[in-house]
Amino acid sequence: MARILVQDAAFDLAAETASLSAGRIDVGAVASFLGICRGDDGLTALVLEHYPGMTERAIGRIADEAERRWPLTGCTVIHRTGRILPGEPIVLVLTASAHRAAALEACAFLIDWLKTKAPFWKREEFAGGSHRWVEAKGEDDLAASRWTGAA
Amino acid sequence: MARILVQDAAFDLAAETASLSAGRIDVGAVASFLGICRGDDGLTALVLEHYPGMTERAIGRIADEAERRWPLTGCTVIHRTGRILPGEPIVLVLTASAHRAAALEACAFLIDWLKTKAPFWKREEFAGGSHRWVEAKGEDDLAASRWTGAA
Amino acid sequence: MRVLYFAWLRQKVGIAEEDVAPPAEVRDVAGLIRWLAARSAAHANAFADPRQVRAAVNQDFATPEHPVAANDEVAFFPPVTGG
Amino acid sequence: MRVLYFAWLRQKVGIAEEDVAPPAEVRDVAGLIRWLAARSAAHANAFADPRQVRAAVNQDFATPEHPVAANDEVAFFPPVTGG
């Protein structure tokens, strides 16, 4: 059962990682992906909007799919919302398994699918007061599609 | 330039991760792999031996290769040696980049190559006093070989 | 029927949600979009390029052909950009 | 020439390292293995199955055909199992 959090607050990477193997001796691998806000082109903040209710449901389904495809001993997805500054974390994906391939592949799968199948929208704010909504990238659809058919 | 440590001591995952993006706004992704000692079949400890001098050199070459293949903003490899108990970390690989694909792929590459190209040897100790040297796995050679030719 | 708007669709329509009672001939997501677009200039502007609009019915992604009914929660938004 | 042994090769030979002066006809890793295996029963036992033995010359992995010279550091060990 995946641990899924959608929250404005920051998260504790070390505590989240430790909790996936605490008190057990069957976990041989923990893979993680940490997404961080970049400050390209004078970006001063990202504002992340989401669809409360659907977001948790969508992430839950993505995590279920990961657990169906790989023998995971644990899985954590934390996605922040609200205003995030350059250098601050946006998203954390953690996957644990007995063996490394399952953890690494499931982690890459989760972040690829999160990018294309979870209802979040990013607005970029720039120095000078301008802002724009981030447009979806074709390369994200491509990354997500590589998990279809294969598995 | 990669940060490479071969040490008996434990490491600080949160501090190592934070140091890859501290004070900079060009890092969008940090991928990590944490290898942990499992307690299968009554294993009571792993004893990790290595070849001082060659180990750091071999890991440095693997990290150079990762930095040649992917646009990394940072790369950290910490491999413990000595006696490690079930549940304790053995190895940490961290890769940072502007974008997620580079970080994720470089992280998987580094752990695959570490398994087959760095001079470490594991001895397993079991309840009752028996012990055995871990044998190299064909699947590890296979995993490492998938990075040859492609890139 | 409850209709929700997110991201630039919310900004263009000018509201985050509204309760609507479309006529019986509005049977699917595409029909609902056409009906909503006729409600105001702001709605028309938000739905001007349907290729940029995605929908969810009862919190699941839905195609234009997906049926909609009186008690549904229907959301409209641009392609997602999380992660 | 300094010779190092690791893991079960070290245990079988019974020492971690030794300084040796092989004759001039020992020119490569394979020749060194044959010469070392003749030094003692422990050496012979360690090198009994050459397919299980890997080598490094001056801290780089080396094939059986790799040359060895008087000032080299040559190490023998089983296939690596780190990570």
Side-chain angles (χ1 to χ4, degrees):
Chain A
M1 193 61 190
R3 169 170 161 84
I4 294 164
L5 296 171
V6 180
Q7 61 187 38
D8 283 9
F11 44 78
D12 183 335
L13 171 69
E16 294 294 342
T17 306
S19 77
L20 286 174
S21 63
R24 49 198 301 176
I25 57 170
D26 59 337
V27 179
V30 178
S32 86
F33 177 82
L34 180 67
I36 298 170
C37 176
R38 293 199 314 278
D40 300 352
D41 305 324
L43 181 138
T44 52
L46 273 184
V47 180
L48 268 135
E49 180 172 334
H50 78 119
Y51 183 172
M54 180 171 167
T55 313
E56 293 79 358
R57 184 183 166 98
I59 299 176
R61 287 188 175 184
I62 296 167
D64 287 349
E65 182 64 23
E67 293 182 330
R68 196 184 65 75
R69 292 182 183 215
W70 291 279
L72 303 180
T73 57
C75 173
T76 299
V77 176
I78 306 178
H79 204 302
R80 292 179 66 194
T81 52
R83 191 180 171 82
I84 293 171
L85 305 181
E88 290 184 349
I90 302 169
V91 60
L92 175 67
V93 173
L94 287 168
T95 50
S97 182
H99 301 287
R100 78 183 184 286
L104 288 165
E105 289 172 19
C107 183
F109 167 86
L110 280 162
I111 188 64
D112 280 350
W113 274 37
L114 269 177
K115 288 246 174 202
T116 57
K117 298 179 197 294
F120 293 96
W121 301 276
K122 286 192 188 109
R123 198 180 60 157
E124 296 174 327
E125 296 182 350
F126 296 94
S130 69
H131 52 80
R132 69 172 177 222
W133 290 96
V134 175
E135 286 186 37
K137 290 190 208 122
E139 66 192 72
D140 286 337
D141 288 329
L142 195 67
S145 72
R146 74 190 162 117
W147 301 103
T148 313
Chain B
M1 193 62 189
R3 169 170 162 83
I4 294 164
L5 297 171
V6 179
Q7 60 187 40
D8 283 9
F11 44 78
D12 183 336
L13 171 69
E16 294 294 343
T17 305
S19 78
L20 287 174
S21 63
R24 50 198 300 177
I25 57 169
D26 60 337
V27 179
V30 178
S32 85
F33 177 82
L34 180 67
I36 299 170
C37 176
R38 292 198 316 279
D40 300 353
D41 305 324
L43 182 139
T44 52
L46 273 184
V47 180
L48 268 134
E49 180 171 333
H50 77 119
Y51 182 171
M54 178 171 168
T55 312
E56 294 79 358
R57 183 182 167 99
I59 299 176
R61 288 188 172 185
I62 296 167
D64 287 348
E65 181 65 24
E67 292 181 332
R68 195 183 67 73
R69 294 181 181 215
W70 291 279
L72 303 180
T73 58
C75 173
T76 300
V77 176
I78 306 178
H79 204 303
R80 293 179 66 194
T81 51
R83 192 179 169 82
I84 294 171
L85 306 182
E88 290 185 349
I90 302 169
V91 60
L92 174 67
V93 174
L94 286 168
T95 50
S97 182
H99 300 287
R100 77 183 184 287
L104 288 165
E105 289 172 19
C107 183
F109 167 86
L110 280 163
I111 187 65
D112 279 352
W113 275 34
L114 269 178
K115 288 247 174 200
T116 57
K117 297 181 198 291
F120 292 97
W121 302 275
K122 287 192 187 106
R123 198 181 61 157
E124 296 174 328
E125 296 183 349
F126 296 93
S130 69
H131 52 79
R132 68 171 178 222
W133 290 95
V134 174
E135 285 186 38
K137 290 191 208 119
E139 66 192 72
D140 286 337
D141 288 330
L142 195 66
S145 72
R146 74 189 162 117
W147 301 104
T148 313
Chain C
M1 185 185 298
R2 167 143 292 204
V3 177
L4 311 180
Y5 304 103
F6 292 98
W8 56 255
L9 269 119
R10 175 179 47 73
Q11 292 187 311
K12 289 191 177 183
V13 175
I15 51 175
E17 54 185 89
E18 59 185 327
D19 286 309
V20 298
E25 60 263 32
V26 171
R27 292 197 180 81
D28 59 18
V29 168
L32 180 61
I33 288 177
R34 283 190 300 273
W35 183 79
L36 288 167
R39 276 169 72 86
S40 76
H43 285 80
N45 181 35
F47 287 111
D49 185 357
R51 290 170 307 175
Q52 295 303 313
V53 178
R54 299 291 180 272
V57 175
N58 297 326
Q59 306 194 349
D60 281 325
F61 289 107
T63 62
E65 300 74 33
H66 194 287
V68 294
N71 292 319
D72 285 348
E73 174 177 301
V74 184
F76 294 103
F77 41 77
V80 303
T81 58
Chain D
M1 184 183 302
R2 166 143 294 203
V3 177
L4 311 180
Y5 304 102
F6 292 98
W8 56 254
L9 269 119
R10 173 181 46 75
Q11 292 188 311
K12 288 190 177 183
V13 176
I15 52 174
E17 55 185 272
E18 57 185 327
D19 286 308
V20 297
E25 60 264 33
V26 170
R27 292 198 178 81
D28 59 18
V29 168
L32 181 61
I33 288 177
R34 282 191 299 273
W35 183 79
L36 287 168
R39 277 168 72 85
S40 76
H43 285 80
N45 181 36
F47 289 111
D49 184 357
R51 291 169 307 172
Q52 296 304 311
V53 177
R54 300 291 180 273
V57 176
N58 298 327
Q59 305 193 349
D60 282 324
F61 289 108
T63 61
E65 299 74 33
H66 193 289
V68 294
N71 293 320
D72 285 346
E73 174 177 299
V74 183
F76 295 101
F77 42 77
V80 303
T81 57

